[in-house]
Amino acid sequence: MISRPRIERGRPNDAATIGATHDGDAPLDPKRGLLLVVMEHGALARYDLPATGSLRIGRADNCDIVLRDPAASRLHAVLTIGETVELEDAGSHNGTRVRNEWLRTTNRARVGIGDAIRIGEAILIVQAAPRDSRFAARPKDTSSVEHGVIVRDPAMQEVYDLVRRVAPSCLSVLVLGETGSGKEVIAAAVHDNSGARSRGPFVRVNCAAIAETLFESELFGHERGAFTGAVRSKQGLLESAQGGSVFLDEVGELPLPAQAKLLRVLESRELTRVGGVKAQTLDVRFVCATNRDLQQEIARGSFREDLFFRLAGVTICLPPLRDRPSELEPLIDEFVTAFSAQLERTPPRVSDGALEILRRYAWPGNIRELRSVLESATLRSDGVSIEPGDLPDDVLEQGRTLRPNAETPAPIPGPETPDSPEPAGLTPRQREERERIIRALATFSGNQTRAAEHLAMPRRTLVTKLGVYGIPRPRKATPVPRA
């Protein structure tokens, strides 16, 4: 089972049931009570509350609500549910806040509907089930909550099924997907479901954010005097993940010298610090991610093929948000509710007009862009509903250009992209991408700028791919109106 905050005595509430009435003085109807748990980075889960009983909250696995937060104590607080809902701090190290006031140890505070309970980075809010929300009448769906993420699309359900099968093994995992599609969430899910290793550290390394001259020192550590400025020994990031997992994000950005040393570590399972002479055994599970086509990088000579085979023990391909439209609406609900909870406000509803525009937008930045757009829209809204005018201009422009209820623009008559033979040696993924590019150019009458926007890639990247895939560049492009 994918690890996430849980209530053993309750049950996860249907992901479509969203919305709340915030009223700190209103009593809770236990039959309609929900608990909203907003974790760091906006991960969110909702649960039905039991009619009566006590729920233990903390970091320990035997708690009823498990918070994966180092600021939470093993047993942090106890939530008691009866005619009223009360919270008691269980002697936590970092304290508990209710309605932004510190709760003294052994003292109880009554918790009303909409009151925020803060434990470390987590926010817990007691809610009433919606009575007149736009989502209340929606039929029950097959959504599930995996690692704090709503999963409805069959392709994503297959991804998490694969995560559950792969995680207990020691195989390296390579996660492929576009920027912002949730690769780090998948990597964390692999770690959290890896059995005993999940109790070890999960170290995140952004390979694109480390200067090339510092790569070896940062990854492998160094000894004192190894180079100018090395005044003391330093533990590397790989060494700090001992007994756990290391997540190498944007692994395609690794420079070739670092690739060679990483390959030696993967093959020998030993690590030597820069300037060191003694190797130490490394017990680390590698999970890597990239938005690059590593096969293409191998052909260009910028990525080692032998390292690719070592990293890709199992490959997980994460579909972009535009290819899983059934998840868009639950994600919209989740982000609006989660951000409103952080602001301690009632979540505004999303108007039909705004929702239609959000459905039509291509989301080139995927889930990361969706979260950012909805946080901005929630702040700009009047607090009651999010309207089209609350959305960013680029989202409005593209959302109004596309046909209603269509995933792609209506084809515009014009010169078709010249047919060309397919280059030899393309992978199935490359052939699929080549066909998408040809269709997009035909749809937009050879207009490369519009085709690139539709494909959610920079125009320069599109031009490069035309050469790689043997697609002739259109000589003339018919201007395509944007509205």
Side-chain angles (χ1 to χ4, degrees), residues 172-443:
S172 298
V173 176
L174 178 63
V175 185
L176 302 177
E178 295 180 3
T179 298
S181 57
K183 298 187 290 296
E184 184 173 347
V185 174
I186 297 299
V190 171
H191 172 74
D192 286 349
N193 288 270
S194 58
R197 188 175 295 278
S198 67
R199 293 191 286 272
F202 178 63
V203 178
R204 298 170 173 86
V205 182
N206 185 349
C207 298
I210 304 177
E212 184 172 349
T213 55
L214 300 176
F215 253 113
E216 290 196 23
S217 174
E218 290 295 321
L219 284 181
F220 310 114
H222 63 257
E223 297 292 356
R224 179 181 177 183
F227 49 83
T228 303
V231 296
R232 62 176 62 89
S233 297
K234 177 184 176 182
Q235 184 183 61
L237 293 169
L238 297 185
E239 191 178 342
S240 68
Q242 193 77 266
S245 305
V246 63
F247 173 50
L248 299 179
D249 195 12
E250 304 299 346
V251 71
E253 304 294 335
L254 277 173
L256 285 170
Q259 291 180 32
K261 192 163 185 178
L262 179 60
L263 176 62
R264 288 196 296 272
V265 170
L266 284 163
E267 290 180 337
S268 66
R269 292 293 167 176
E270 291 183 341
L271 179 146
T272 303
R273 293 179 178 179
V274 176
V277 295
K278 184 178 179 180
Q280 56 180 303
T281 302
L282 187 68
D283 177 22
V284 169
R285 204 261 184 83
F286 285 85
V287 184
C288 304
T290 182
N291 61 353
R292 291 193 177 195
D293 187 332
L294 291 185
Q295 295 285 3
Q296 185 174 314
E297 299 300 321
I298 290 170
R300 291 176 176 173
S302 59
F303 200 86
R304 295 180 62 113
E305 186 175 33
D306 45 6
L307 177 60
F308 170 78
F309 289 131
R310 279 289 183 180
L311 295 178
V314 175
T315 300
I316 298 177
C317 295
L318 196 56
L321 181 58
R322 63 182 173 276
D323 289 347
R324 33 183 165 132
S326 61
E327 293 192 347
L328 181 63
E329 202 163 322
L331 286 170
I332 292 171
D333 304 340
E334 173 182 339
F335 292 145
V336 170
T337 305
F339 189 60
S340 298
Q342 292 173 0
L343 298 174
E344 299 186 24
R345 298 179 182 175
T346 302
R349 68 184 295 273
V350 182
S351 71
D352 293 337
L355 184 60
E356 189 63 28
I357 289 173
L358 294 172
R359 285 171 178 161
R360 298 179 189 181
Y361 186 60
W363 299 111
N366 290 288
I367 296 174
R368 185 180 295 127
E369 182 185 14
L370 176 64
R371 180 188 289 116
S372 177
V373 166
L374 292 172
E375 288 180 353
S376 171
T378 301
L379 282 174
R380 296 172 64 179
S381 73
D382 59 6
V384 177
S385 64
I386 294 175
E387 300 294 337
D390 299 321
L391 301 175
D393 291 341
D394 55 341
V395 175
L396 276 174
E397 182 180 1
Q398 188 183 113
R400 286 169 172 167
T401 300
L402 304 187
R403 293 182 294 127
N405 303 318
E407 296 181 14
T408 58
I412 301 173
E416 295 185 356
T417 304
D419 194 14
S420 57
E422 178 183 294
L426 295 184
T427 65
R429 187 165 175 260
Q430 288 174 321
R431 285 197 293 270
E432 180 183 352
E433 184 177 47
R434 183 178 185 272
E435 289 302 317
R436 287 204 309 269
I437 290 173
I438 290 174
R439 289 197 299 269
L441 288 171
T443 297

Side-chain angles (χ1 to χ4, degrees), residues 133-147:
S133 169
R134 175 173 58 83
F135 305 106
R138 184 185 301 162
K140 185 176 178 67
D141 57 40
T142 58
S143 300
S144 61
V145 179
E146 307 285 3
H147 200 71

Side-chain angles (χ1 to χ4, degrees), residues 50-122:
T52 58
S54 296
L55 302 178
R56 296 175 298 169
I57 305 169
R59 188 163 41 86
D61 289 335
N62 62 353
C63 286
D64 300 307
I65 306 173
V66 179
L67 302 178
R68 304 296 184 188
D69 187 333
S73 299
R74 292 185 59 80
L75 176 59
H76 197 104
V78 177
L79 188 71
T80 303
I81 303 167
E83 293 183 2
T84 61
V85 179
E86 296 182 343
L87 184 78
E88 178 181 354
D89 186 280
S92 65
H93 290 297
N94 296 312
T96 306
R97 286 184 292 171
V98 179
R99 296 181 294 273
N100 213 27
E101 294 183 0
W102 291 104
L103 178 64
R104 293 183 180 180
T105 303
T106 71
N107 281 3
R108 286 193 174 192
R110 180 173 174 177
V111 180
I113 295 173
D115 287 342
I117 303 168
R118 294 180 179 268
I119 298 176
E121 295 294 331

